[in-house]
Amino acid sequence: MIVQKRFIAGAICPRCAQMDRIRAWEQHGVRYRECVSCDFFEQLPIEEETPQELETRVNRIRESQARDTLQTVKILDPKKS
């Protein structure tokens, strides 16, 4: 089986700092990256678990949101006072 090696658009090589020279592929549960301009080569195991999302101001649960946000409203008639 032939493995397709694909270039990563916009990636910068950590060794030679050239842009668009990194290509990546996966084979036998291992992810590989290499630079076509220098001798950079890296292999990483493919993790099955997704890493925990970093907390940001957008996805953070505020204290006010943690409490029940539903409240009953009583409508007052100003004429009956």
Side-chain angles (χ1 to χ4, degrees):
M1 184 171 120
I2 298 174
V3 178
Q4 284 189 340
K5 298 180 180 180
R6 297 196 167 129
F7 282 94
I8 303 172
I12 297 174
C13 177
R15 184 167 294 151
C16 68
Q18 294 289 317
M19 185 183 286
D20 295 334
R21 303 282 193 237
I22 299 288
R23 60 183 181 175
W25 70 97
E26 295 177 4
Q27 188 174 19
H28 306 297
V30 180
R31 181 174 289 135
Y32 299 96
R33 294 190 317 164
E34 72 177 354
C35 179
V36 296
S37 294
C38 68
D39 61 345
F40 172 75
F41 180 79
E42 180 179 49
Q43 58 184 359
L44 302 166
I46 297 175
E47 299 176 4
E48 294 298 324
E49 294 182 20
T50 57
Q52 183 178 356
E53 184 178 355
L54 296 175
E55 183 178 329
T56 64
R57 66 179 178 84
V58 176
N59 65 5
R60 178 178 49 216
I61 298 174
R62 295 186 185 139
E63 200 173 305
S64 62
Q65 290 174 335
R67 290 185 253 133
D68 291 334
T69 57
L70 297 176
Q71 297 178 353
T72 57
V73 177
K74 184 176 180 182
I75 300 174
L76 301 174
D77 188 4
K79 296 177 185 176
K80 287 189 174 184
S81 300

